[in-house]
Coordinates of all heavy atoms in Angstrom, one line a residue:
G222 N 105.7 89.4 81.8 CA 106.8 89.2 82.8 C 107.3 90.4 83.4 O 107.5 90.5 84.6
P260 N 106.1 87.4 54.5 CA 106.1 87.6 56.0 C 105.4 89.0 56.3 O 105.4 89.9 55.5 CB 107.5 87.7 56.3 CG 108.2 88.1 55.1 CD 107.4 87.6 53.9
R265 N 114.6 91.3 55.7 CA 115.7 92.0 54.9 C 115.6 93.5 55.1 O 116.6 94.1 54.8 CB 115.5 91.6 53.4 CG 114.2 92.0 52.8 CD 114.0 91.5 51.4 NE 112.7 91.5 51.0 CZ 112.0 92.6 50.9 NH1 112.5 93.8 51.0 NH2 110.7 92.6 50.5
L379 N 112.1 117.7 68.2 CA 113.1 117.5 67.2 C 113.1 116.1 66.7 O 113.5 115.8 65.6 CB 114.5 117.9 67.7 CG 114.7 119.4 68.0 CD1 116.1 119.6 68.6 CD2 114.6 120.2 66.7
A417 N 106.6 99.3 82.1 CA 106.9 98.1 82.8 C 108.3 98.2 83.5 O 108.5 98.0 84.7 CB 106.9 96.9 81.9
Y429 N 104.8 104.0 97.2 CA 103.7 105.1 97.4 C 103.5 105.5 98.9 O 102.7 106.3 99.2 CB 102.4 104.5 96.9 CG 102.2 104.6 95.4 CD1 102.4 103.4 94.6 CD2 101.9 105.7 94.7 CE1 102.2 103.4 93.2 CE2 101.8 105.8 93.3 CZ 101.9 104.6 92.6 OH 101.8 104.6 91.2

Side-chain angles (χ1 to χ4, degrees):
R265 62 185 161 66
L379 290 175
Y429 283 102

